[in-house]
Amino acid sequence: MKLILAPMEGVIDHHMRKALTSVGGYDACVTEFVRIVDLCLPDKVFNRISPELAQQGRTSSGIPVILQLLGGNPEAMAASAQRAVELGAPAIDINFGCPSKMVTRKMGGSVLLKEPGQVHDIVAAVRKAVDASIPVTAKMRLGYENDALALDNALAIEAAGAAELVVHARTKVEGYKPPARWEALAPLREALTIPLIANGDITSLQNYHRCFEASGCESVMLGRGALNNPSLAKQIKQSSHNEAIEPMNWRAISSLILATSEKMELDYPQEHIVRRHKQWLAMLRAAHPAGQRVFHEIRRMTVLADIKSELREEENRG
Ligand SMILES: Cc1cc2nc3c(=O)[nH]c(=O)nc-3n(C[C@H](O)[C@H](O)[C@H](O)COP(=O)(O)O)c2cc1C
């Protein structure tokens, strides 16, 4: 079983990867995408998206950080993967899921799912460009408009040499509309020899088990569920080992946000951190009654110190 922390542009950056992997349960993380058009980008772009490159491509808890590339030009993708690996990326993931508004195929993402041959060529070019010891993985949706090519795309990715495949169980057209169709993953899992990792709406332990029953996928990727419930991955692991489940209490969550805030303050302006805290607390309130209370208190605050002081009060309240 493998649990992966999802890439979420503008939401899960290196600070969040550090925070969430420190809680435990994760086996890997994937960075926000690096968009590749027709040139390999300067090193600073890779280092900004994955500051972990400076620490052997791992979070402070030692969890590998897979670098994600998005693009439709096989040569540029191959050159970029090669450079990312030289800089320290422990694995490369290719994004075929982004519902990008830029519809030219050169731009990459889910629009490429209309052409399994193109999907194959991109994965094959990246696979060929990096050392065999570096896993190349892919993340896709079930399709663009419908699922008709889901199996063709999955098989193309496998044939091109990918080590594993994550599938977000929706089409591009379905966006994020619930429910994720976990049952549509089962035929893909049966047809593939590489591991299939389920993704989409796994927001609780109960949903994890429902997804497993519907898809047969033991391994999953957690996005919004990881933010709603920072100990979800740990709970899934505890459940699979028949250990007692230890939900994280609000005091520990407040401490985690405050510690993350301190790190963010070294990198980002105050307004940005205020927005990010509101974003996280808005997600946390779904699973934690105390989160609801704090979100209500801070939602109109604009000064970071005020938000931190509210969190400290909650931290003390326990
Ligand atoms: C704000 C946001 C940003 C995202 N950014 C990326 C990204 O950079 N790369 C990617 O492959 N998927 C991205 N996704 C998709 C997620 O990784 C994931 O597939 C999706 O949220 C469904 O999983 P979940 O229900 O566990 O959140 C993003 C999703 C959201 C909501």
Side-chain angles (χ1 to χ4, degrees), residues 11-48:
V11 183
I12 303 187
D13 62 357
H14 63 293
H15 294 300
M16 293 302 286
R17 289 193 288 271
K18 179 183 163 88
L20 295 167
T21 59
S22 75
V23 176
Y26 290 103
D27 300 290
C29 315
V30 181
T31 65
E32 300 159 272
F33 64 77
V34 178
R35 188 187 290 278
I36 307 297
V37 182
D38 48 16
L39 287 175
C40 181
L41 296 166
D43 292 356
K44 65 175 185 213
V45 179
F46 295 104
N47 288 320
R48 176 171 52 76

Side-chain angles (χ1 to χ4, degrees), residues 6-11 30-33 68 70 93 95-99 139 141 166 168 170 176 199-203 221-226 279:
M8 284 178 72
E9 191 198 13
V11 183
V30 181
T31 65
E32 300 159 272
F33 64 77
Q68 189 182 69
L70 177 143
D93 184 63
N95 178 322
F96 296 112
C98 182
K139 178 165 180 277
R141 286 179 175 247
V166 176
H168 176 188
R170 292 183 174 94
Y176 290 93
N199 171 239
D201 292 1
I202 303 166
T203 48
M221 173 180 270
L222 306 176
R224 290 164 296 174
Q279 188 183 55

Side-chain angles (χ1 to χ4, degrees), residues 75-122:
E75 294 77 36
M77 290 286 278
S80 305
Q82 205 169 33
R83 187 63 196 140
V85 169
E86 282 163 8
L87 292 171
I92 301 291
D93 184 63
I94 307 174
N95 178 322
F96 296 112
C98 182
S100 174
K101 287 194 188 69
M102 289 181 247
V103 287
T104 93
R105 306 209 166 152
K106 260 184 132 179
M107 292 300 182
S110 58
V111 71
L112 291 167
L113 298 174
K114 294 176 175 183
E115 289 179 39
Q118 180 76 355
V119 166
H120 174 277
D121 292 352
I122 293 165

Side-chain angles (χ1 to χ4, degrees), residues 6 10 26 40 44 46 59 65 76 87 122 124 144 196 204 230 246 285:
Y26 290 103
C40 181
K44 65 175 185 213
F46 295 104
T59 67
V65 180
L87 292 171
I122 293 165
Y144 194 82
L196 180 68
S204 64
E246 292 165 31
R285 73 190 157 147

